[in-house]
Amino acid sequence: MSVLTIGSAAYDSLDTPYGARDRSLGGSGVYASFAASFFTQSRLVAVVGKDWNSAYSELLSSHNVDLEGLEVRSDGDTMFWSGRYDNDVNKRETLVFQANVMTDYKPIVPDSYRDSSHVLLGNCAPDSCLALLDSIASPKLVVADTMDFYINNMRDELCALLRRIDGLILNDSEAALLTGVESSPRDAARKILEMGPRFVVVKRGEYGAFWMSGSELFLVPSYPTDNVLDPTGAGDSFAGAMMGVLAEAGELSAESIKKALLYATVVASLNIEGFSLERFQYVRREDVDERVAKFREMLVC
Ligand code: AMP
């Protein structure tokens, strides 16, 4: 089994109550493919520009992320995003977004990726996601992650994408924005199921996350870490880990879904304990398993 992730590879400038970083490694595809690689073969489709630091490719490769699908273009710069977090780290403001080489990105899928079993369409333009999907022979599971930027700016393309995927993963405010349903995240999730996907995963920050399909509802609380330094990439690492565990399990049983939600929560918590991938890069599978065991002990059943 293998997880193919398409998403951004970016430079992020970050400002949080605990410090700041300028042009550090980021991007939805980077966080998600790194998180998936704890569990299964992980492949990344992304584009970067002439200013890309090759040391970042080495970092990802050394964690077994296959970068054959990483296109390095010489005619532009890498995507740049800058964000500032409030004292309540669930609130963030985008200060700068420069798509650069991501503008009109046409993903190139290497032949060696065409047999990918699991596809994670991370945050990138919905039409790039659709183009990528056409290149994959017969994926077992296709999940898309989306964000407010694409809901606000590319709604029609996003709605077309929703009809081609198995699952959608998004946070509660995005679910309300996408559906116009503000009464509760579960009401919004039900409405999303009417838009195409078989299941939806709604992330709710400190309130955890839930998985809903026509017949199932699974809930997971957030892991109570006291060391949040930089929440960037929490959602992407959650999605990548969830797909990694589902690929490792090779089936979509209730048991494997619950395991995927537990591991996704723990991997996201490990990511946000450092800026960018500064700490995350040193996390090993044993550290993840150890924290999952601790998390299980905290749960009431
Ligand atoms: P998250 O905190 O999980 O929402 O992910 C934040 C990451 O997404 C950052 O590393 C950014 O580089 C990246 N990002 C921010 N805006 C966009 C966008 N419009 N398209 C793709 N990636 C983005």
Side-chain angles (χ1 to χ4, degrees), residues 2 4-5 42-45 65-70 108-117 135-137:
S2 50
L4 182 162
T5 302
S42 178
R43 301 163 167 176
L44 177 63
V45 174
V65 178
D66 181 334
L67 294 181
E68 208 186 324
L70 181 71
I108 301 170
V109 181
D111 285 344
S112 62
Y113 285 15
R114 289 182 198 276
D115 64 352
S116 298
S117 62
S135 320
I136 308 300

Side-chain angles (χ1 to χ4, degrees), residues 5-6 28 32 35 119-124 129 141-148 150-151 158 161-162 165-176 178 189 192-193 196-205 208-212 220 233-244 246 257 260-265 268:
T5 302
I6 179 173
S28 60
V119 178
L120 175 59
L121 306 169
N123 284 321
C124 74
C129 294
L141 192 73
V142 178
V143 171
D145 187 351
T146 196
M147 66 192 298
D148 51 358
Y150 298 106
I151 300 171
L158 183 59
L161 181 65
L162 292 182
I165 59 176
D166 297 297
L168 181 69
I169 178 161
L170 73 184
N171 66 35
D172 43 12
S173 60
E174 291 158 354
L178 177 61
I192 291 171
L193 293 178
R198 290 194 282 139
F199 65 85
V200 57
V201 181
V202 180
K203 297 166 289 175
R204 307 197 58 213
F210 66 85
W211 169 299
M212 183 190 279
V220 64
D236 307 313
S237 47
F238 182 101
M242 183 187 93
M243 288 298 274
L246 292 175
I257 295 168
L261 293 175
L262 270 184
Y263 271 85
T265 301

Side-chain angles (χ1 to χ4, degrees), residues 23-46:
R23 293 178 66 78
S24 54
L25 174 61
S28 60
V30 166
Y31 282 111
S33 61
F34 191 88
S37 69
F38 284 109
F39 309 99
T40 192
Q41 217 185 343
S42 178
R43 301 163 167 176
L44 177 63
V45 174

Side-chain angles (χ1 to χ4, degrees), residues 16-226:
T16 87
Y18 311 102
R21 291 293 184 277
D22 194 29
R23 293 178 66 78
S24 54
L25 174 61
S28 60
V30 166
Y31 282 111
S33 61
F34 191 88
S37 69
F38 284 109
F39 309 99
T40 192
Q41 217 185 343
S42 178
R43 301 163 167 176
L44 177 63
V45 174
V47 61
V48 292
K50 58 182 184 313
D51 55 351
W52 180 246
N53 183 344
S54 59
Y56 291 153
S57 294
E58 281 153 31
L59 187 161
L60 293 168
S61 301
S62 68
H63 208 263
N64 287 325
V65 178
D66 181 334
L67 294 181
E68 208 186 324
L70 181 71
E71 187 189 349
V72 184
R73 275 174 52 174
S74 54
D75 59 348
D77 286 330
T78 302
M79 192 197 107
F80 174 71
W81 175 77
S82 154
R84 182 166 51 213
Y85 293 83
D86 220 44
N87 280 336
D88 169 0
V89 289
N90 292 312
K91 295 203 185 104
R92 91 169 164 212
E93 189 191 352
T94 291
L95 303 175
V96 182
F97 174 65
Q98 293 167 349
N100 297 333
V101 288
M102 286 275 285
T103 312
D104 302 325
Y105 172 46
K106 306 265 177 303
I108 301 170
V109 181
D111 285 344
S112 62
Y113 285 15
R114 289 182 198 276
D115 64 352
S116 298
S117 62
H118 288 60
V119 178
L120 175 59
L121 306 169
N123 284 321
C124 74
D127 48 4
S128 302
C129 294
L130 281 166
L132 175 124
L133 263 189
D134 289 335
S135 320
I136 308 300
S138 50
K140 273 173 80 95
L141 192 73
V142 178
V143 171
D145 187 351
T146 196
M147 66 192 298
D148 51 358
F149 181 81
Y150 298 106
I151 300 171
N152 284 324
N153 298 302
M154 299 176 190
R155 178 175 285 268
D156 290 347
E157 296 90 331
L158 183 59
C159 287
L161 181 65
L162 292 182
R163 294 190 284 274
R164 294 271 312 268
I165 59 176
D166 297 297
L168 181 69
I169 178 161
L170 73 184
N171 66 35
D172 43 12
S173 60
E174 291 158 354
L177 185 66
L178 177 61
T179 59
V181 175
E182 307 226 325
S183 48
S184 86
R186 273 187 291 125
D187 289 342
R190 276 187 209 101
K191 180 95 184 177
I192 291 171
L193 293 178
E194 290 168 13
M195 298 167 86
R198 290 194 282 139
F199 65 85
V200 57
V201 181
V202 180
K203 297 166 289 175
R204 307 197 58 213
E206 62 178 311
Y207 303 112
F210 66 85
W211 169 299
M212 183 190 279
S213 68
S215 56
E216 297 157 320
L217 178 65
F218 300 117
L219 316 172
V220 64
S222 63
Y223 182 83
T225 171
D226 294 323

